[in-house]
Amino acid sequence: MLRQYKKQLIFASVLTLLPMALGLFVRDLLPGLMTARWGFDGSVSVLVPMFVMPPVMLALLWGGVLLTLRDPGNRGQNGKVFSVVLWILPVLSNLVFAMVFALSLGVSQALPKVFIILMSLMFSVVGNFMPKTRRNSTIGIRVCWTLASDENWNATHRFTGRLWFTCGILMMFSVCLPTRIGLPLFICLVFGLAFAPMVYSYLYYRRQRRAGTVPEVDASRDVRFGKWSTGFLLVIFLFVGAVMFTGNIRYDLGQDSLTIHASYYSDMTLPYDAIDDVEYRESDTPGYRAFGWGSARLLMGAFENDEFGTYTRYSYTGCDSCVVVRSGGKVLVLSAADEAGTQALYESLAGKAGQP
C-alpha cells in the first residue's frame, strides 16, 4: 500500500518541512522581526519552532502512515479517510509557522479566534469522513466496544460523524465571545466531543449485550489495543482537564526582592530597588496574549494592550482587581485569587518598594 501513496507521501513530507525554508527566507528578509520579546526579563527567538517542529512533525507523519498501512484492518480502507491522516500534520506544521510569524510581527489579537475557527473546521472535516471508516486499530474511535463488532463500530462512527460535523460548525460562534470566556469554553467542548463517542459506544455495547446480539468482549489483539488506547486518552484528558482548572500563583516578598512562583509557568524574581512604581487598580483589562500560559484559572505570560504595549502578567481569571508594577520601562501586572488578596499584595509590595 505504501507504493500506492508514494507520490502523496513525498509531497506531504515536503509540505511539512516547508516552514524551514520559509523561516530562512523570512529571517533574511526581515531579521529584525524574527525575535519577539516574550518575557519580562528578556527575549526568546521564534526561530526555534520553525526549525525544530517541522522535523518532529515529519517523523510523526511517517510513523502514523506506516502504522496505518501496516494495520490489516486498513486493507481496502476508504482512500479519502487515509488522505485525512496524510494531510493533518503538513497543514498543522504550516499553521504553526504562520501563527509564530504573526506573533513576531506583533499580530496577536486575532490568533485565539483564528485557532478556534481552524480547529472547528478540522472537527467538521474529520466528522464528515468518520462514517466512511472501516473497523481497524489505528484510525477512528478505537475503544474496546467499537473493536468488538462491526455493528458497534459503524453506529459509533455515524454518531461521531454527525456530532463532530454539526458541533464543529456551531463552535465557530464561540469567537463572538470574549477570549477569556470563549477559549476555555471551546476547550471544554473539545473534551466533550472526545468523550461523547466513547460513552455512546459503551451504551450501544450494553444495549447489544441486553439484546444478546454480541458476544463478550474477548482478549483479541484489536480489543487489547483499544483498551490501551482508551486508557491512554483518558489519562491525557484528565491531565489536561486538571491543568486547565487548577494551579496557583504564590508571591514571596523577601527582604530584597519579590519572587513569583507559578504553576505550569516559569518563576521570576524582581528586586525592590528596580521597581519604579506600584499601582493598585480595581478593574483590569488583560488585552491580548502574545506568549505564555492561559487556562480557566490562570493568565500568565506576555500580553499586549493599547496602554502598556507589551507587558507581562501573573494573574487569576476570577479576580477583577490587579497590581501594576513598573520597572525600567517594563510593566508587570499581578493579582491574587480575589480582590482582598490583591489589595494585601499591593500594600505589602508598595511598602517593600518604599512607596508611600
Side-chain angles (χ1 to χ4, degrees):
M1 291 182 65
L2 187 59
R3 293 181 180 179
Q4 179 182 350
Y5 296 101
K6 180 179 178 181
K7 292 182 179 179
Q8 295 183 48
L9 186 54
I10 292 175
F11 184 72
S13 300
V14 173
L15 186 63
T16 304
L17 295 177
L18 181 62
M20 298 179 69
L22 294 175
L24 288 172
F25 175 76
V26 173
R27 184 189 63 179
D28 294 337
L29 183 65
L30 301 170
L33 295 177
M34 296 311 294
T35 300
R37 299 190 69 82
W38 285 354
F40 189 75
D41 298 321
S43 61
V44 179
S45 173
V46 300
L47 293 176
V48 174
M50 293 181 182
F51 294 104
V52 174
M53 292 192 67
V56 172
M57 291 190 177
L58 180 63
L60 293 175
L61 171 65
W62 275 86
V65 167
L66 292 176
L67 285 174
T68 301
L69 294 180
R70 287 175 62 88
D71 182 1
N74 285 319
R75 292 172 183 170
Q77 186 69 263
N78 190 307
K80 294 181 179 179
V81 174
F82 181 76
S83 296
V84 174
V85 177
L86 189 63
W87 294 111
I88 283 180
L89 285 172
V91 171
L92 182 61
S93 179
N94 286 271
L95 176 62
V96 170
F97 169 82
M99 296 183 72
V100 169
F101 184 54
L103 284 175
S104 70
L105 292 174
V107 182
S108 59
Q109 177 176 350
L111 287 183
K113 299 183 184 299
V114 171
F115 171 78
I116 290 175
I117 291 174
L118 292 175
M119 289 294 294
S120 301
L121 283 174
M122 186 195 74
F123 270 103
S124 292
V125 170
V126 174
N128 184 56
F129 289 101
M130 274 292 184
K132 301 179 176 66
T133 60
R134 298 176 57 182
R135 185 157 57 119
N136 67 95
S137 301
T138 51
I139 303 174
I141 310 302
R142 305 176 310 278
V143 292
C144 58
W145 310 295
T146 57
L147 294 172
S149 71
D150 285 330
E151 184 181 353
N152 192 307
W153 176 279
N154 294 332
T156 300
H157 283 75
R158 284 195 298 268
F159 165 79
T160 304
R162 292 192 295 266
L163 179 68
W164 284 15
F165 180 82
T166 303
C167 290
I169 300 297
L170 296 177
M171 283 193 302
M172 293 184 190
F173 291 99
S174 63
V175 300
C176 300
L177 300 173
T179 301
R180 63 183 296 181
I181 299 175
L183 192 56
L185 175 62
F186 173 79
I187 293 174
C188 291
L189 290 174
V190 169
F191 285 162
L193 291 179
F195 273 113
M198 301 180 191
V199 175
Y200 179 89
S201 178
Y202 172 71
L203 295 177
Y204 192 91
Y205 174 77
R206 289 288 300 272
R207 191 160 61 246
Q208 286 181 301
R209 290 287 300 145
R210 286 195 298 268
T213 59
V214 66
E216 290 284 353
V217 175
D218 59 27
S220 68
R221 172 183 170 276
D222 282 351
V223 171
R224 289 199 304 271
F225 182 87
K227 289 182 177 179
W228 279 103
S229 63
T230 302
F232 181 70
L233 287 174
L234 286 173
V235 170
I236 291 177
F237 290 147
L238 290 173
F239 172 76
V240 175
V243 169
M244 283 297 300
F245 296 98
T246 63
N248 290 289
I249 303 171
R250 189 177 82 252
Y251 302 102
D252 290 340
L253 285 84
Q255 183 176 354
D256 301 315
S257 62
L258 164 68
T259 301
I260 305 174
H261 302 280
S263 303
Y264 319 125
Y265 196 65
S266 58
D267 300 340
M268 70 162 293
T269 299
L270 179 65
Y272 298 133
D273 57 13
I275 296 177
D276 300 322
D277 180 64
V278 182
E279 176 188 358
Y280 177 79
R281 295 189 178 185
E282 294 183 352
S283 61
D284 172 32
T285 302
Y288 303 99
R289 182 188 311 282
F291 181 77
W293 169 255
S295 69
R297 180 172 172 81
L298 303 175
L299 290 177
M300 298 177 294
F303 282 70
E304 296 177 6
N305 63 19
D306 293 336
E307 180 182 3
F308 301 140
T310 300
Y311 68 100
T312 301
R313 67 182 302 119
Y314 288 82
S315 62
Y316 288 82
T317 59
C319 181
D320 292 331
S321 61
C322 68
V323 179
V324 178
V325 181
R326 293 178 174 83
S327 174
K330 299 177 182 179
V331 176
L332 178 64
V333 175
L334 312 173
S335 83
D338 52 35
E339 282 75 10
T342 304
Q343 177 72 44
L345 173 64
Y346 163 72
E347 294 173 355
S348 298
L349 186 58
K352 292 284 187 178
Q355 180 173 309

